[in-house]
Amino acid sequence: MSELNTKGSLFIVSAPSGAGKTSLVNKLQQEVDGLIVSVSHTTRAQRPGEVDGVDYCFTDHKAFEEMLKKGDFLEQAQVFDNFYGTAQRTVEVLLSKGLDVILEIDWQGAQQVRNKMAEAVSLFVLPPSREALEERLKGRGQDSDEIISRRMRDAIAEMSHYAEYDYLIVNDNFDLALDQMKAIITAQRLQISRQSNAIGSMLVKLLDS
């Protein structure tokens, strides 16, 4: 428990489809205390098994457009006929409570977030090879060859933006990639700016002459 109100850190995690980003983030949230994955708003229909407020905050187009007009979104994007967005107020409240927040977004969303919150720490997750990525996409058994080819093109376009990020992780070994993500979060939490707030009274006692 921090002695003062220490603001949390905002983490951006991006990756091409099939790189294992969601599995890594889910495991990270299970194993790291004080870490929250932000829940996005979307206008797409709720799918069987999805829970409103857990998987997404499901909303209609009119309500989404109203939020957009008011500037409520930290980032937003249109995918085909549906809209997705991260509510800035929600993120700010979580950070103010000292929680670390993860945004799972693409490179375009990451650019929007950096423009508004330059202190965000960004991670990009890569597959070990194109062959491994294609194998993972095919292994899902859900898509046609045409869709897989399109996903591969989209993945290559996404990966071309890796240099815009602070950290680069190759998900060849899941446990190793997970440990690397944990290390980045731990390092961020140990920065002087956060530690000075978290252990303020202890520092005063140590340095009191």
Side-chain angles (χ1 to χ4, degrees), residues 95-113:
L95 293 174
S96 70
K97 293 179 179 179
L99 296 169
D100 291 324
V101 179
I102 287 183
L103 303 182
E104 282 190 75
I105 52 180
D106 66 8
W107 68 270
Q108 292 171 306
Q111 287 184 343
Q112 294 176 50
V113 173

Side-chain angles (χ1 to χ4, degrees), residues 43-57:
T43 59
R44 78 158 172 77
Q46 187 172 348
R47 295 169 182 166
E50 289 183 330
V51 178
D52 186 28
V54 176
D55 297 289
Y56 285 98
C57 293

Side-chain angles (χ1 to χ4, degrees), residues 83-103:
F83 292 88
Y84 298 80
T86 301
Q88 184 165 345
R89 177 61 181 162
T90 300
V91 171
E92 289 176 342
V93 168
L94 291 171
L95 293 174
S96 70
K97 293 179 179 179
L99 296 169
D100 291 324
V101 179
I102 287 183
L103 303 182

Side-chain angles (χ1 to χ4, degrees), residues 7 16 52 76 88 115 133-134 158 169 173 189 193:
K7 185 179 179 181
D52 186 28
Q76 61 85 28
Q88 184 165 345
N115 288 334
L133 181 61
E134 186 170 10
E158 180 84 19
I169 293 173
N173 179 300
R189 290 177 172 181
S193 57

Side-chain angles (χ1 to χ4, degrees), residues 17 130-131 133-156:
S17 178
R130 284 195 187 186
E131 291 77 16
L133 181 61
E134 186 170 10
E135 185 176 332
R136 291 174 186 177
L137 291 173
K138 288 181 176 178
R140 295 174 176 178
Q142 299 175 342
D143 301 317
S144 65
D145 289 342
E146 182 181 353
I147 291 177
I148 289 174
S149 294
R150 178 175 59 79
R151 290 188 182 277
M152 283 296 296
R153 291 194 299 272
D154 291 345
I156 293 167

